[in-house]
């Protein structure tokens, strides 16, 4: 299959082009598109056969449920059996935006979207291309991140081409995504509300709107959200995350780097700007200032992918602060560093 690439300027949306992509969605085809977080691989969420193709293209197991993307809050009532007041409050506060709400599903939503669960994940993305596409397709769009299963999520159209070129009908190229990590997934069917995946909306921001939020334990999380344990955000290289502070962190990274270099391996370091000059003669890629976590989040996946493209065998990453977007970054780095 030849994958068509459709370039669309996000600042000046060409509706004729959006309609071409929307026609593909209506026909049950796969269209990758930008959102504010990462690129998604979209299909008509109400077309079961089309949804099945997502799992095939991504080589993703069927036990990993998908997010339904909507452009109008009214759709929430079509897709969900109940919308508790707190869900509406959160939707009003953060949509469109990088927040996914898990709610009891309605009859309309097929089990293939939800991996057989009685809940459905819904979000309204804050991206004009994504919103126009959903509106023109006149259907909710089910979309996981547009990467091969287990790989880091794509933040550019080129990343999508690298993983899914030749396997899907179309990719809308709308440039680099803004947030760079996926949406925060929030289970609002439980009390207190639970964060199943840290993401683009920080826990600090959530707490400005709701009193109590619980962050679920890794294992519980995996159980309630089957996809989360086996999604590894893995680069091909072996990733080592060093979570020490200050000088101890730098020293540990130097020690590890020397060890692997002595074994003849190609070693790279992902460092904050503040530390970039502390690793003489070892290749460093800068994620951003350690104090600018939004910028670090936006760069994270692209840097991991670029290490792979350049044939690095070992990536040693500095751990970052865990407040604000740092929590989402660290969750992903820990998974990427976990033994496979
Ligand atoms: O930012 C994002 O969320 C991106 C863009 C494209 O919107 N999408 C994304 O989708 O990251 P995906 O499929 O890669 O991750 C969705 C996560 C998975 O970990 C899945 O397990 C969880 O959401 N999820 C989906 N439905 C769920 C449900 N009913 N209950 C619990 N977790 C669910
Ligand atoms: Mg994903």
């Amino acid at each position: 299959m030849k994958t068509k690439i459709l370039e669309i300027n996000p600042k000046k949306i060409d509706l004729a082009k959006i309609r071409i992509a929307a026609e593909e969605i209506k026909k049950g085809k796969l269209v990758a598109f930008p959102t504010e977080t990462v690129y998604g691989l979209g299909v008509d969420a109400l077309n079961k056969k089309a949804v099945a193709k997502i799992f095939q293209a991504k080589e993703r197991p069927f036990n990993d449920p998908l997010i339904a993307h909507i452009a109008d809050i009214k759709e929430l009532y079509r897709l969900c059996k109940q919308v508790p007041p707190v869900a509406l409050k959160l939707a009003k506060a953060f949509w469109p935006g990088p927040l996914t709400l898990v709610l009891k599903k309605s009859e309309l939503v097929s089990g293939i979207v939800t991996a057989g669960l009685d809940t459905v994940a819904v979000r309204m993305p804050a991206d004009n291309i994504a919103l126009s596409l959903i509106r023109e397709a006149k259907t909710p769009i089910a979309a996981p991140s547009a990467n091969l299963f287990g790989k880091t999520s794509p933040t550019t159209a080129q990343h999508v081409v690298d993983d899914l070129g030749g396997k899907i009908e179309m990719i809308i190229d709308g440039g680099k995504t803004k947030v760079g990590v996926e949406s925060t997934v929030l289970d609002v069917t439980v009390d207190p509300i639970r964060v199943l995946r840290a993401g683009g909306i920080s826990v600090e921001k959530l707490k400005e709107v709701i009193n109590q939020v619980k962050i679920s334990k890794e294992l519980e999380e995996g159980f309630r959200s089957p996809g989360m344990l086996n999604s590894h955000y893995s680069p091909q290289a072996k990733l080592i995350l060093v979570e020490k502070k200050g000088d101890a962190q730098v020293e540990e990274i130097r020690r590890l780097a020397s060890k692997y270099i002595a074994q003849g391996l190609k070693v790279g370091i992902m460092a904050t700007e503040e530390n970039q000059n502390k690793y003489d003669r070892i290749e460093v890629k800068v994620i951003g200032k350690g104090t600018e976590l939004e910028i670090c989040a936006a760069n994270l996946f692209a840097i991991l992918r670029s290490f792979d493209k350049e044939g690095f065998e070992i990536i040693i990453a500095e751990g970052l602060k865990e407040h604000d977007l740092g929590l989402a970054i660290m969750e992903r780095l820990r998974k990427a560093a976990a033994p496979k």
Side-chain angles (χ1 to χ4, degrees), residues 100-308:
T100 295
L101 299 175
V102 171
L103 294 142
K104 291 271 180 244
K105 80 170 193 74
S106 73
E107 297 291 318
L108 190 66
V109 182
S110 129
I112 188 161
V113 173
T114 67
L117 299 173
D118 63 351
T119 54
V120 61
V122 186
R123 98 171 180 101
M124 190 191 294
D127 179 284
N128 287 331
I129 293 176
L131 291 171
S132 316
L133 181 66
I134 300 163
R135 276 190 210 111
E136 292 299 321
K138 298 187 169 65
T139 183
I141 293 185
S145 49
N147 50 283
L148 281 175
F149 176 70
K151 294 264 183 295
T152 51
S153 294
T155 54
T156 66
Q158 185 59 48
H159 295 160
V160 184
V161 173
D162 292 344
D163 277 17
L164 300 173
K167 294 169 116 191
I168 60 177
E169 271 75 18
M170 186 175 278
I171 300 170
I172 300 179
D173 183 350
K176 188 172 180 257
T177 64
K178 261 200 334 262
V179 180
V181 291
E182 303 87 342
S183 61
T184 302
V185 179
L186 210 54
D187 187 349
V188 288
T189 66
V190 291
D191 188 16
I193 285 170
R194 236 193 303 178
V195 178
L196 299 179
R197 175 177 75 184
I201 299 286
S202 67
V203 172
E204 289 87 345
K205 284 248 169 71
L206 291 173
K207 283 185 174 160
E208 288 171 14
V209 175
I210 44 174
N211 307 329
Q212 235 193 330
V213 197
K214 207 176 138 190
I215 301 170
S216 52
K217 282 199 232 87
E218 195 55 30
L219 266 179
E220 266 178 340
E221 198 173 286
F223 174 73
R224 288 193 62 87
S225 179
M228 288 190 191
L229 272 190
N230 44 25
S231 68
H232 277 300
Y233 305 100
S234 304
Q236 270 149 353
K238 176 183 165 71
L239 188 138
I240 301 165
L241 174 63
V242 176
E243 296 202 42
K244 295 185 173 166
K245 301 251 146 43
D247 290 346
Q249 185 179 48
V250 173
E251 254 162 57
E252 174 71 357
I253 291 176
R254 277 187 177 148
R255 187 187 69 76
L256 286 167
S258 308
K259 179 179 121 184
Y260 288 109
I261 289 168
Q263 291 173 17
L265 296 169
K266 187 167 175 181
V267 177
I269 297 172
M270 186 166 78
T272 52
E273 201 175 302
E274 296 88 329
N275 288 343
Q276 63 172 318
N277 297 321
K278 297 183 182 166
Y279 305 106
D280 31 79
R281 280 174 288 124
I282 309 163
E283 190 111 16
V284 172
K285 291 185 192 288
V286 174
I287 185 169
K289 285 199 184 118
T291 49
E292 295 177 353
L293 293 165
E294 288 186 10
I295 290 171
C296 294
N299 291 333
L300 175 68
F301 290 148
I303 290 185
L304 293 179
R305 280 182 179 254
S306 70
F307 275 121
D308 276 346

